[in-house]
Amino acid sequence: MQKELFQPELFLTPKWYLFKNSSLGAVYQNIPWEQLSECLPEENKGPGAPRWFSSQGMFGLMFLKAYLDISDEKLIERFNTDWSLQLFCNKLLKDNERIKDKAIVSRIRSYMADHADWEQVQEVLIRHWKRDMNNTHVLLMDATCYESYLRFPTDVKLLWESCHWVFEKQLFKWCKRLSIKRPRSKYIDQKRKQLDYDL
């Protein structure tokens, strides 16, 4: 067996230099890896094969998935052939080494969902990125709506349910509670038409 004169980390300095000066390297340097790694439990050193990725590597894969906007399978294909992605995840593969498990990204995502302390993750990222944030007094929330019970014709039913909620569940209730007159509208006429339409 041949002994190495230099440590592998020092030997990879040219690659690391190129990576650090790339756009992906700029993203890498703006992520608090050590604090994020503490949000996952330590690796179990017991019997069995060691896991492919450290805690940093798992977070790295999730960042790459969002950054590259590709499927899990394509991400592993890229990871196997692109040393910059490997450096991003702190897992440089050997020349003859490949990850053949195409479901590994999905399993890592499930593992992180179950074991990561997400409140701590958010605190770490906010603390690290706070100086780069604007309008920190504003709260933005995702208002995406997924219809779970699809019926034909869906668009018309959804529109009518929205009108029904606005008028009967909100407007009429508040008029009654505040003892004020209901505003004039054609809601009753439209309700009759909707009943005919449903039939």
mmCIF file of all heavy atoms in Angstrom, residues 11-56:
data_model
loop_
_atom_site.group_PDB
_atom_site.id
_atom_site.type_symbol
_atom_site.label_atom_id
_atom_site.label_comp_id
_atom_site.label_asym_id
_atom_site.label_seq_id
_atom_site.Cartn_x
_atom_site.Cartn_y
_atom_site.Cartn_z
ATOM 1 N N PHE A 11 -4.307 17.908 -0.827
ATOM 2 C CA PHE A 11 -4.106 17.486 -2.206
ATOM 3 C C PHE A 11 -5.207 18.040 -3.110
ATOM 4 O O PHE A 11 -4.988 18.291 -4.285
ATOM 5 C CB PHE A 11 -4.075 15.951 -2.258
ATOM 6 C CG PHE A 11 -3.880 15.404 -3.635
ATOM 7 C CD1 PHE A 11 -2.650 15.521 -4.267
ATOM 8 C CD2 PHE A 11 -4.922 14.780 -4.306
ATOM 9 C CE1 PHE A 11 -2.466 15.019 -5.544
ATOM 10 C CE2 PHE A 11 -4.751 14.284 -5.575
ATOM 11 C CZ PHE A 11 -3.502 14.393 -6.203
ATOM 12 N N LEU A 12 -6.394 18.245 -2.546
ATOM 13 C CA LEU A 12 -7.537 18.703 -3.340
ATOM 14 C C LEU A 12 -7.646 20.226 -3.392
ATOM 15 O O LEU A 12 -8.656 20.754 -3.815
ATOM 16 C CB LEU A 12 -8.840 18.120 -2.756
ATOM 17 C CG LEU A 12 -8.979 16.609 -2.876
ATOM 18 C CD1 LEU A 12 -10.160 16.117 -2.089
ATOM 19 C CD2 LEU A 12 -9.101 16.195 -4.324
ATOM 20 N N THR A 13 -6.628 20.921 -2.960
ATOM 21 C CA THR A 13 -6.679 22.378 -2.915
ATOM 22 C C THR A 13 -7.042 23.022 -4.258
ATOM 23 O O THR A 13 -7.865 23.929 -4.286
ATOM 24 C CB THR A 13 -5.344 22.951 -2.390
ATOM 25 O OG1 THR A 13 -5.122 22.426 -1.087
ATOM 26 C CG2 THR A 13 -5.386 24.457 -2.302
ATOM 27 N N PRO A 14 -6.482 22.600 -5.392
ATOM 28 C CA PRO A 14 -6.878 23.230 -6.676
ATOM 29 C C PRO A 14 -8.372 23.086 -6.966
ATOM 30 O O PRO A 14 -9.023 24.039 -7.389
ATOM 31 C CB PRO A 14 -6.033 22.492 -7.718
ATOM 32 C CG PRO A 14 -4.869 21.973 -6.958
ATOM 33 C CD PRO A 14 -5.382 21.661 -5.585
ATOM 34 N N LYS A 15 -8.909 21.896 -6.729
ATOM 35 C CA LYS A 15 -10.353 21.699 -6.939
ATOM 36 C C LYS A 15 -11.152 22.600 -5.995
ATOM 37 O O LYS A 15 -12.141 23.201 -6.385
ATOM 38 C CB LYS A 15 -10.742 20.236 -6.683
ATOM 39 C CG LYS A 15 -10.509 19.321 -7.859
ATOM 40 C CD LYS A 15 -11.057 17.942 -7.556
ATOM 41 C CE LYS A 15 -10.835 17.032 -8.755
ATOM 42 N NZ LYS A 15 -11.311 15.664 -8.504
ATOM 43 N N TRP A 16 -10.717 22.646 -4.738
ATOM 44 C CA TRP A 16 -11.432 23.463 -3.759
ATOM 45 C C TRP A 16 -11.376 24.938 -4.140
ATOM 46 O O TRP A 16 -12.354 25.652 -4.010
ATOM 47 C CB TRP A 16 -10.835 23.241 -2.370
ATOM 48 C CG TRP A 16 -11.454 24.118 -1.332
ATOM 49 C CD1 TRP A 16 -10.894 25.182 -0.724
ATOM 50 C CD2 TRP A 16 -12.774 24.018 -0.806
ATOM 51 N NE1 TRP A 16 -11.769 25.759 0.159
ATOM 52 C CE2 TRP A 16 -12.933 25.059 0.123
ATOM 53 C CE3 TRP A 16 -13.832 23.141 -1.034
ATOM 54 C CZ2 TRP A 16 -14.110 25.256 0.827
ATOM 55 C CZ3 TRP A 16 -15.006 23.329 -0.332
ATOM 56 C CH2 TRP A 16 -15.142 24.373 0.581
ATOM 57 N N TYR A 17 -10.243 25.380 -4.656
ATOM 58 C CA TYR A 17 -10.095 26.771 -5.073
ATOM 59 C C TYR A 17 -11.048 27.097 -6.221
ATOM 60 O O TYR A 17 -11.724 28.134 -6.222
ATOM 61 C CB TYR A 17 -8.650 27.048 -5.486
ATOM 62 C CG TYR A 17 -8.423 28.454 -5.985
ATOM 63 C CD1 TYR A 17 -8.316 29.519 -5.089
ATOM 64 C CD2 TYR A 17 -8.358 28.728 -7.348
ATOM 65 C CE1 TYR A 17 -8.130 30.816 -5.540
ATOM 66 C CE2 TYR A 17 -8.183 30.022 -7.810
ATOM 67 C CZ TYR A 17 -8.067 31.055 -6.910
ATOM 68 O OH TYR A 17 -7.904 32.333 -7.370
ATOM 69 N N LEU A 18 -11.110 26.195 -7.215
ATOM 70 C CA LEU A 18 -12.024 26.405 -8.347
ATOM 71 C C LEU A 18 -13.477 26.408 -7.878
ATOM 72 O O LEU A 18 -14.284 27.220 -8.312
ATOM 73 C CB LEU A 18 -11.822 25.314 -9.404
ATOM 74 C CG LEU A 18 -10.498 25.370 -10.176
ATOM 75 C CD1 LEU A 18 -10.326 24.109 -11.017
ATOM 76 C CD2 LEU A 18 -10.450 26.605 -11.054
ATOM 77 N N PHE A 19 -13.796 25.472 -6.979
ATOM 78 C CA PHE A 19 -15.166 25.387 -6.457
ATOM 79 C C PHE A 19 -15.531 26.638 -5.669
ATOM 80 O O PHE A 19 -16.604 27.208 -5.841
ATOM 81 C CB PHE A 19 -15.286 24.141 -5.568
ATOM 82 C CG PHE A 19 -16.561 24.087 -4.772
ATOM 83 C CD1 PHE A 19 -17.778 23.881 -5.379
ATOM 84 C CD2 PHE A 19 -16.529 24.254 -3.392
ATOM 85 C CE1 PHE A 19 -18.957 23.846 -4.640
ATOM 86 C CE2 PHE A 19 -17.693 24.217 -2.648
ATOM 87 C CZ PHE A 19 -18.906 24.007 -3.277
ATOM 88 N N LYS A 20 -14.614 27.093 -4.821
ATOM 89 C CA LYS A 20 -14.888 28.242 -3.957
ATOM 90 C C LYS A 20 -15.160 29.508 -4.767
ATOM 91 O O LYS A 20 -15.923 30.369 -4.353
ATOM 92 C CB LYS A 20 -13.694 28.456 -3.023
ATOM 93 C CG LYS A 20 -13.977 29.358 -1.850
ATOM 94 C CD LYS A 20 -12.841 29.343 -0.853
ATOM 95 C CE LYS A 20 -11.640 30.050 -1.440
ATOM 96 N NZ LYS A 20 -10.589 30.306 -0.427
ATOM 97 N N ASN A 21 -14.559 29.616 -5.946
ATOM 98 C CA ASN A 21 -14.725 30.807 -6.775
ATOM 99 C C ASN A 21 -15.829 30.668 -7.819
ATOM 100 O O ASN A 21 -15.971 31.526 -8.690
ATOM 101 C CB ASN A 21 -13.398 31.154 -7.460
ATOM 102 C CG ASN A 21 -12.376 31.632 -6.459
ATOM 103 O OD1 ASN A 21 -12.552 32.660 -5.820
ATOM 104 N ND2 ASN A 21 -11.319 30.870 -6.276
ATOM 105 N N SER A 22 -16.597 29.597 -7.746
ATOM 106 C CA SER A 22 -17.733 29.417 -8.655
ATOM 107 C C SER A 22 -19.002 29.962 -8.007
ATOM 108 O O SER A 22 -19.022 30.295 -6.822
ATOM 109 C CB SER A 22 -17.908 27.931 -8.989
ATOM 110 O OG SER A 22 -18.295 27.215 -7.830
ATOM 111 N N SER A 23 -20.084 30.045 -8.783
ATOM 112 C CA SER A 23 -21.360 30.527 -8.222
ATOM 113 C C SER A 23 -21.892 29.560 -7.171
ATOM 114 O O SER A 23 -22.454 29.973 -6.159
ATOM 115 C CB SER A 23 -22.389 30.719 -9.338
ATOM 116 O OG SER A 23 -22.585 29.515 -10.050
ATOM 117 N N LEU A 24 -21.701 28.257 -7.396
ATOM 118 C CA LEU A 24 -22.137 27.266 -6.409
ATOM 119 C C LEU A 24 -21.299 27.380 -5.134
ATOM 120 O O LEU A 24 -21.805 27.232 -4.026
ATOM 121 C CB LEU A 24 -22.032 25.850 -6.990
ATOM 122 C CG LEU A 24 -22.607 24.712 -6.156
ATOM 123 C CD1 LEU A 24 -24.092 24.927 -5.895
ATOM 124 C CD2 LEU A 24 -22.378 23.384 -6.835
ATOM 125 N N GLY A 25 -20.010 27.690 -5.302
ATOM 126 C CA GLY A 25 -19.146 27.894 -4.144
ATOM 127 C C GLY A 25 -19.566 29.096 -3.323
ATOM 128 O O GLY A 25 -19.457 29.097 -2.093
ATOM 129 N N ALA A 26 -20.072 30.138 -3.999
ATOM 130 C CA ALA A 26 -20.555 31.325 -3.277
ATOM 131 C C ALA A 26 -21.761 30.965 -2.419
ATOM 132 O O ALA A 26 -21.903 31.439 -1.285
ATOM 133 C CB ALA A 26 -20.913 32.420 -4.273
ATOM 134 N N VAL A 27 -22.646 30.108 -2.949
ATOM 135 C CA VAL A 27 -23.799 29.637 -2.156
ATOM 136 C C VAL A 27 -23.295 28.835 -0.962
ATOM 137 O O VAL A 27 -23.763 29.008 0.167
ATOM 138 C CB VAL A 27 -24.747 28.781 -3.032
ATOM 139 C CG1 VAL A 27 -25.848 28.154 -2.198
ATOM 140 C CG2 VAL A 27 -25.342 29.608 -4.164
ATOM 141 N N TYR A 28 -22.328 27.952 -1.225
ATOM 142 C CA TYR A 28 -21.771 27.097 -0.165
ATOM 143 C C TYR A 28 -21.232 27.928 1.003
ATOM 144 O O TYR A 28 -21.448 27.590 2.164
ATOM 145 C CB TYR A 28 -20.652 26.237 -0.767
ATOM 146 C CG TYR A 28 -19.958 25.343 0.235
ATOM 147 C CD1 TYR A 28 -20.439 24.068 0.493
ATOM 148 C CD2 TYR A 28 -18.824 25.765 0.923
ATOM 149 C CE1 TYR A 28 -19.811 23.242 1.405
ATOM 150 C CE2 TYR A 28 -18.190 24.956 1.842
ATOM 151 C CZ TYR A 28 -18.680 23.683 2.075
ATOM 152 O OH TYR A 28 -18.062 22.874 2.993
ATOM 153 N N GLN A 29 -20.540 29.011 0.679
ATOM 154 C CA GLN A 29 -19.911 29.819 1.717
ATOM 155 C C GLN A 29 -20.911 30.656 2.514
ATOM 156 O O GLN A 29 -20.566 31.212 3.554
ATOM 157 C CB GLN A 29 -18.856 30.735 1.083
ATOM 158 C CG GLN A 29 -17.682 29.942 0.525
ATOM 159 C CD GLN A 29 -16.701 30.825 -0.207
ATOM 160 O OE1 GLN A 29 -15.911 31.514 0.430
ATOM 161 N NE2 GLN A 29 -16.772 30.826 -1.527
ATOM 162 N N ASN A 30 -22.147 30.744 2.036
ATOM 163 C CA ASN A 30 -23.178 31.519 2.741
ATOM 164 C C ASN A 30 -24.145 30.652 3.528
ATOM 165 O O ASN A 30 -25.220 31.110 3.906
ATOM 166 C CB ASN A 30 -23.953 32.389 1.747
ATOM 167 C CG ASN A 30 -23.136 33.589 1.323
ATOM 168 O OD1 ASN A 30 -22.791 34.421 2.139
ATOM 169 N ND2 ASN A 30 -22.813 33.657 0.049
ATOM 170 N N ILE A 31 -23.765 29.408 3.761
ATOM 171 C CA ILE A 31 -24.618 28.490 4.525
ATOM 172 C C ILE A 31 -23.879 28.100 5.801
ATOM 173 O O ILE A 31 -22.722 27.678 5.746
ATOM 174 C CB ILE A 31 -24.966 27.234 3.691
ATOM 175 C CG1 ILE A 31 -25.774 27.633 2.458
ATOM 176 C CG2 ILE A 31 -25.743 26.227 4.529
ATOM 177 C CD1 ILE A 31 -26.031 26.515 1.484
ATOM 178 N N PRO A 32 -24.522 28.219 6.976
ATOM 179 C CA PRO A 32 -23.864 27.872 8.248
ATOM 180 C C PRO A 32 -23.878 26.358 8.483
ATOM 181 O O PRO A 32 -24.711 25.835 9.222
ATOM 182 C CB PRO A 32 -24.714 28.615 9.287
ATOM 183 C CG PRO A 32 -26.076 28.688 8.667
ATOM 184 C CD PRO A 32 -25.869 28.775 7.183
ATOM 185 N N TRP A 33 -22.945 25.647 7.861
ATOM 186 C CA TRP A 33 -22.977 24.180 7.857
ATOM 187 C C TRP A 33 -22.863 23.577 9.257
ATOM 188 O O TRP A 33 -23.580 22.621 9.576
ATOM 189 C CB TRP A 33 -21.863 23.640 6.959
ATOM 190 C CG TRP A 33 -22.050 23.984 5.517
ATOM 191 C CD1 TRP A 33 -21.304 24.841 4.769
ATOM 192 C CD2 TRP A 33 -23.072 23.489 4.644
ATOM 193 N NE1 TRP A 33 -21.788 24.910 3.482
ATOM 194 C CE2 TRP A 33 -22.874 24.085 3.381
ATOM 195 C CE3 TRP A 33 -24.137 22.614 4.803
ATOM 196 C CZ2 TRP A 33 -23.693 23.832 2.279
ATOM 197 C CZ3 TRP A 33 -24.958 22.350 3.715
ATOM 198 C CH2 TRP A 33 -24.729 22.955 2.484
ATOM 199 N N GLU A 34 -21.960 24.094 10.071
ATOM 200 C CA GLU A 34 -21.742 23.481 11.391
ATOM 201 C C GLU A 34 -22.996 23.569 12.252
ATOM 202 O O GLU A 34 -23.394 22.593 12.885
ATOM 203 C CB GLU A 34 -20.573 24.169 12.101
ATOM 204 C CG GLU A 34 -19.221 23.824 11.514
ATOM 205 C CD GLU A 34 -18.076 24.478 12.271
ATOM 206 O OE1 GLU A 34 -18.291 24.883 13.442
ATOM 207 O OE2 GLU A 34 -16.984 24.596 11.700
ATOM 208 N N GLN A 35 -23.625 24.754 12.252
ATOM 209 C CA GLN A 35 -24.841 24.911 13.071
ATOM 210 C C GLN A 35 -25.988 24.066 12.519
ATOM 211 O O GLN A 35 -26.777 23.522 13.288
ATOM 212 C CB GLN A 35 -25.256 26.384 13.130
ATOM 213 C CG GLN A 35 -24.258 27.273 13.840
ATOM 214 C CD GLN A 35 -23.282 27.937 12.882
ATOM 215 O OE1 GLN A 35 -22.806 27.298 11.945
ATOM 216 N NE2 GLN A 35 -22.985 29.195 13.103
ATOM 217 N N LEU A 36 -26.092 23.962 11.183
ATOM 218 C CA LEU A 36 -27.149 23.132 10.601
ATOM 219 C C LEU A 36 -26.942 21.664 10.948
ATOM 220 O O LEU A 36 -27.898 20.933 11.221
ATOM 221 C CB LEU A 36 -27.184 23.296 9.075
ATOM 222 C CG LEU A 36 -27.871 24.538 8.522
ATOM 223 C CD1 LEU A 36 -27.797 24.545 7.003
ATOM 224 C CD2 LEU A 36 -29.322 24.628 8.971
ATOM 225 N N SER A 37 -25.684 21.219 10.925
ATOM 226 C CA SER A 37 -25.394 19.806 11.219
ATOM 227 C C SER A 37 -25.828 19.430 12.629
ATOM 228 O O SER A 37 -26.188 18.278 12.888
ATOM 229 C CB SER A 37 -23.899 19.532 11.052
ATOM 230 O OG SER A 37 -23.506 19.780 9.715
ATOM 231 N N GLU A 38 -25.814 20.392 13.545
ATOM 232 C CA GLU A 38 -26.225 20.123 14.921
ATOM 233 C C GLU A 38 -27.733 19.918 15.050
ATOM 234 O O GLU A 38 -28.215 19.471 16.092
ATOM 235 C CB GLU A 38 -25.782 21.266 15.833
ATOM 236 C CG GLU A 38 -24.269 21.366 15.973
ATOM 237 C CD GLU A 38 -23.823 22.636 16.678
ATOM 238 O OE1 GLU A 38 -24.705 23.418 17.100
ATOM 239 O OE2 GLU A 38 -22.601 22.845 16.791
ATOM 240 N N CYS A 39 -28.488 20.247 14.004
ATOM 241 C CA CYS A 39 -29.953 20.084 14.038
ATOM 242 C C CYS A 39 -30.380 18.640 13.753
ATOM 243 O O CYS A 39 -31.556 18.315 13.869
ATOM 244 C CB CYS A 39 -30.606 21.017 13.026
ATOM 245 S SG CYS A 39 -30.285 22.754 13.333
ATOM 246 N N LEU A 40 -29.442 17.794 13.340
ATOM 247 C CA LEU A 40 -29.726 16.372 13.111
ATOM 248 C C LEU A 40 -28.991 15.547 14.159
ATOM 249 O O LEU A 40 -27.908 15.940 14.615
ATOM 250 C CB LEU A 40 -29.261 15.951 11.715
ATOM 251 C CG LEU A 40 -30.165 16.313 10.540
ATOM 252 C CD1 LEU A 40 -29.471 15.989 9.228
ATOM 253 C CD2 LEU A 40 -31.497 15.597 10.618
ATOM 254 N N PRO A 41 -29.533 14.379 14.548
ATOM 255 C CA PRO A 41 -28.816 13.542 15.520
ATOM 256 C C PRO A 41 -27.508 13.016 14.943
ATOM 257 O O PRO A 41 -27.371 12.870 13.730
ATOM 258 C CB PRO A 41 -29.811 12.403 15.804
ATOM 259 C CG PRO A 41 -30.768 12.410 14.670
ATOM 260 C CD PRO A 41 -30.817 13.811 14.146
ATOM 261 N N GLU A 42 -26.550 12.725 15.809
ATOM 262 C CA GLU A 42 -25.265 12.203 15.358
ATOM 263 C C GLU A 42 -25.439 10.809 14.758
ATOM 264 O O GLU A 42 -26.361 10.073 15.109
ATOM 265 C CB GLU A 42 -24.278 12.147 16.521
ATOM 266 C CG GLU A 42 -23.861 13.510 17.030
ATOM 267 C CD GLU A 42 -22.812 13.404 18.121
ATOM 268 O OE1 GLU A 42 -22.273 12.295 18.322
ATOM 269 O OE2 GLU A 42 -22.545 14.424 18.769
ATOM 270 N N GLU A 43 -24.522 10.469 13.858
ATOM 271 C CA GLU A 43 -24.598 9.163 13.187
ATOM 272 C C GLU A 43 -24.363 8.049 14.191
ATOM 273 O O GLU A 43 -23.489 8.127 15.052
ATOM 274 C CB GLU A 43 -23.540 9.092 12.077
ATOM 275 C CG GLU A 43 -23.570 7.786 11.310
ATOM 276 C CD GLU A 43 -22.529 7.727 10.206
ATOM 277 O OE1 GLU A 43 -21.765 8.701 10.048
ATOM 278 O OE2 GLU A 43 -22.479 6.707 9.513
ATOM 279 N N ASN A 44 -25.164 6.996 14.067
ATOM 280 C CA ASN A 44 -25.003 5.826 14.926
ATOM 281 C C ASN A 44 -23.787 5.034 14.439
ATOM 282 O O ASN A 44 -23.759 4.565 13.307
ATOM 283 C CB ASN A 44 -26.277 4.968 14.854
ATOM 284 C CG ASN A 44 -26.218 3.785 15.806
ATOM 285 O OD1 ASN A 44 -25.282 3.668 16.578
ATOM 286 N ND2 ASN A 44 -27.209 2.915 15.734
ATOM 287 N N LYS A 45 -22.789 4.888 15.295
ATOM 288 C CA LYS A 45 -21.549 4.210 14.905
ATOM 289 C C LYS A 45 -21.609 2.715 15.177
ATOM 290 O O LYS A 45 -20.578 2.046 15.187
ATOM 291 C CB LYS A 45 -20.363 4.807 15.674
ATOM 292 C CG LYS A 45 -20.152 6.301 15.442
ATOM 293 C CD LYS A 45 -19.671 6.585 14.052
ATOM 294 C CE LYS A 45 -19.322 8.062 13.907
ATOM 295 N NZ LYS A 45 -18.886 8.403 12.557
ATOM 296 N N GLY A 46 -22.780 2.167 15.391
ATOM 297 C CA GLY A 46 -22.921 0.750 15.697
ATOM 298 C C GLY A 46 -22.702 -0.133 14.473
ATOM 299 O O GLY A 46 -22.153 0.293 13.460
ATOM 300 N N PRO A 47 -23.162 -1.389 14.556
ATOM 301 C CA PRO A 47 -22.971 -2.301 13.428
ATOM 302 C C PRO A 47 -23.765 -1.848 12.203
ATOM 303 O O PRO A 47 -24.739 -1.116 12.309
ATOM 304 C CB PRO A 47 -23.502 -3.640 13.963
ATOM 305 C CG PRO A 47 -24.423 -3.276 15.076
ATOM 306 C CD PRO A 47 -23.875 -2.007 15.668
ATOM 307 N N GLY A 48 -23.328 -2.306 11.056
ATOM 308 C CA GLY A 48 -23.997 -1.922 9.815
ATOM 309 C C GLY A 48 -23.117 -1.001 8.991
ATOM 310 O O GLY A 48 -22.111 -0.471 9.470
ATOM 311 N N ALA A 49 -23.499 -0.835 7.753
ATOM 312 C CA ALA A 49 -22.715 0.001 6.836
ATOM 313 C C ALA A 49 -22.835 1.467 7.238
ATOM 314 O O ALA A 49 -23.902 1.913 7.657
ATOM 315 C CB ALA A 49 -23.221 -0.185 5.406
ATOM 316 N N PRO A 50 -21.747 2.227 7.114
ATOM 317 C CA PRO A 50 -21.837 3.662 7.413
ATOM 318 C C PRO A 50 -22.694 4.360 6.364
ATOM 319 O O PRO A 50 -22.770 3.915 5.216
ATOM 320 C CB PRO A 50 -20.376 4.133 7.345
ATOM 321 C CG PRO A 50 -19.695 3.148 6.471
ATOM 322 C CD PRO A 50 -20.404 1.840 6.675
ATOM 323 N N ARG A 51 -23.347 5.437 6.742
ATOM 324 C CA ARG A 51 -24.195 6.124 5.783
ATOM 325 C C ARG A 51 -23.331 6.914 4.801
ATOM 326 O O ARG A 51 -22.212 7.325 5.111
ATOM 327 C CB ARG A 51 -25.208 7.012 6.492
ATOM 328 C CG ARG A 51 -24.639 8.112 7.344
ATOM 329 C CD ARG A 51 -25.735 8.765 8.164
ATOM 330 N NE ARG A 51 -25.239 9.947 8.880
ATOM 331 C CZ ARG A 51 -25.924 10.579 9.800
ATOM 332 N NH1 ARG A 51 -27.126 10.153 10.135
ATOM 333 N NH2 ARG A 51 -25.418 11.638 10.398
ATOM 334 N N TRP A 52 -23.886 7.130 3.616
ATOM 335 C CA TRP A 52 -23.150 7.820 2.562
ATOM 336 C C TRP A 52 -22.852 9.270 2.934
ATOM 337 O O TRP A 52 -21.768 9.776 2.664
ATOM 338 C CB TRP A 52 -23.966 7.800 1.258
ATOM 339 C CG TRP A 52 -23.785 6.572 0.437
ATOM 340 C CD1 TRP A 52 -24.625 5.492 0.371
ATOM 341 C CD2 TRP A 52 -22.703 6.273 -0.450
ATOM 342 N NE1 TRP A 52 -24.143 4.549 -0.497
ATOM 343 C CE2 TRP A 52 -22.954 5.011 -1.027
ATOM 344 C CE3 TRP A 52 -21.543 6.937 -0.824
ATOM 345 C CZ2 TRP A 52 -22.105 4.402 -1.946
ATOM 346 C CZ3 TRP A 52 -20.692 6.342 -1.743
ATOM 347 C CH2 TRP A 52 -20.963 5.096 -2.279
ATOM 348 N N PHE A 53 -23.834 9.929 3.529
ATOM 349 C CA PHE A 53 -23.717 11.373 3.750
ATOM 350 C C PHE A 53 -23.725 11.707 5.229
ATOM 351 O O PHE A 53 -24.492 11.131 6.006
ATOM 352 C CB PHE A 53 -24.873 12.112 3.067
ATOM 353 C CG PHE A 53 -24.838 12.019 1.572
ATOM 354 C CD1 PHE A 53 -25.576 11.062 0.901
ATOM 355 C CD2 PHE A 53 -24.066 12.901 0.833
ATOM 356 C CE1 PHE A 53 -25.542 10.972 -0.476
ATOM 357 C CE2 PHE A 53 -24.026 12.825 -0.545
ATOM 358 C CZ PHE A 53 -24.762 11.859 -1.205
ATOM 359 N N SER A 54 -22.896 12.664 5.591
ATOM 360 C CA SER A 54 -22.929 13.212 6.942
ATOM 361 C C SER A 54 -24.147 14.130 7.051
ATOM 362 O O SER A 54 -24.875 14.345 6.071
ATOM 363 C CB SER A 54 -21.646 14.006 7.206
ATOM 364 O OG SER A 54 -21.579 15.107 6.312
ATOM 365 N N SER A 55 -24.341 14.712 8.231
ATOM 366 C CA SER A 55 -25.460 15.654 8.394
ATOM 367 C C SER A 55 -25.314 16.825 7.433
ATOM 368 O O SER A 55 -26.286 17.272 6.820
ATOM 369 C CB SER A 55 -25.499 16.168 9.836
ATOM 370 O OG SER A 55 -25.759 15.116 10.731
ATOM 371 N N GLN A 56 -24.085 17.315 7.268
ATOM 372 C CA GLN A 56 -23.852 18.414 6.322
ATOM 373 C C GLN A 56 -24.191 17.973 4.902
ATOM 374 O O GLN A 56 -24.791 18.727 4.137
ATOM 375 C CB GLN A 56 -22.389 18.865 6.375
ATOM 376 C CG GLN A 56 -22.072 19.947 5.359
ATOM 377 C CD GLN A 56 -20.617 20.388 5.385
ATOM 378 O OE1 GLN A 56 -19.945 20.246 6.393
ATOM 379 N NE2 GLN A 56 -20.140 20.913 4.278
#
